[in-house]
């Protein structure tokens, strides 16, 4: 196992319900360290660019609207196997399929409003971290 970094987003459905602290606690208790974090309000153009990989999907427009409607908290998480570990802690994309004890099982409202995002692989993590953070903002 290697020490990795991954990009995490606490989404508007969670920030709206004041769940930021509880989600950070679940990430930390799961063995991940928050090495960068900021609360931002994305423009539709930013959210559209971040999720460009999904632009042909039927849910893209709604996703962009939801992600730019209210603030999000973007984070860099660090730890052993951080990319896979974060995905375990988050649970499945669809909360109906998420395991007990995961963030999405605990908090997600729907497949769209699923409380958190996490990078799905090393290349994506690098790109997604660079989308929101400069090197000097990440303090390991
Ligand atoms: P996320 O991990 O941020 O990656 C893409 C997002 O699109 C996903 O979480 C969901 O919030 C959203 N989404 C909405 N509908 C779907 C769907 N049918 N399948 C996958 N993702 C969806």
């Amino acid at each position: 196992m290697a020490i990795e970094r991954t990009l995490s987003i606490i989404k508007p459905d969670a920030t709206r319900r004041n769940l930021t602290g509880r989600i950070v606690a679940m990430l930390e208790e799961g063995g991940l360290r928050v090495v960068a974090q900021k609360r931002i309000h994305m423009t539709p153009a930013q959210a559209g660019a971040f999720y460009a990989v999904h632009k042909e999907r039927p849910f893209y427009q709604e996703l962009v609207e939801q992600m730019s409607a209210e603030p999000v908290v973007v984070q860099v998480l660090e730890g052993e196997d951080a990319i896979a570990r974060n995905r375990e802690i988050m649970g499945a994309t669809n909360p109906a399929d998420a395991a007990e004890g995961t963030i999405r099982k605990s908090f997600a409202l729907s497949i769209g409003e699923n409380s958190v995002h996490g990078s799905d692989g090393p290349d994506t993590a690098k790109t997604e971290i660079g989308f929101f953070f400069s090197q000097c903002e990440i303090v390991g």
Side-chain angles (χ1 to χ4, degrees):
M1 288 202 292
I3 299 290
E4 291 176 337
R5 287 177 174 172
T6 190
L7 191 277
S8 161
I9 306 178
I10 302 176
K11 295 187 177 187
D13 73 271
T15 61
R16 183 197 316 143
R17 290 177 289 153
N18 220 15
L19 295 171
T20 299
R22 288 169 73 184
I23 289 174
V24 171
M26 289 170 83
L27 297 168
E28 290 180 339
E29 281 158 14
L32 298 173
R33 179 177 296 275
V34 180
V35 294
Q37 178 168 278
K38 58 190 172 190
R39 182 175 168 100
I40 61 170
H41 192 154
M42 281 195 271
T43 63
Q46 266 181 306
F50 181 79
Y51 279 116
V53 66
H54 294 304
K55 72 172 179 294
E56 305 305 331
R57 309 283 290 272
F59 56 81
Y60 177 70
Q61 201 52 45
E62 189 183 11
L63 176 62
V64 170
E65 279 166 24
Q66 285 171 344
M67 292 298 289
S68 57
E70 293 173 271
V72 299
V73 174
V74 291
Q75 310 170 298
V76 181
L77 306 175
E78 184 180 87
E80 289 278 352
D81 254 342
I83 298 164
R85 184 75 195 110
N86 184 40
R87 293 177 73 76
E88 278 172 22
I89 298 167
M90 290 194 301
T93 303
N94 186 345
D97 302 328
E100 281 303 329
T102 61
I103 293 171
R104 285 168 169 161
K105 179 71 175 184
S106 303
F107 302 127
L109 300 175
S110 64
I111 191 167
E113 293 194 295
N114 61 354
S115 301
V116 280
H117 166 83
S119 307
D120 64 5
D123 293 343
T124 321
K126 196 163 186 285
T127 310
E128 291 185 350
I129 290 169
F131 189 91
F132 291 111
F133 293 97
S134 63
Q135 266 312 315
C136 65
E137 291 178 299
I138 305 170
V139 183

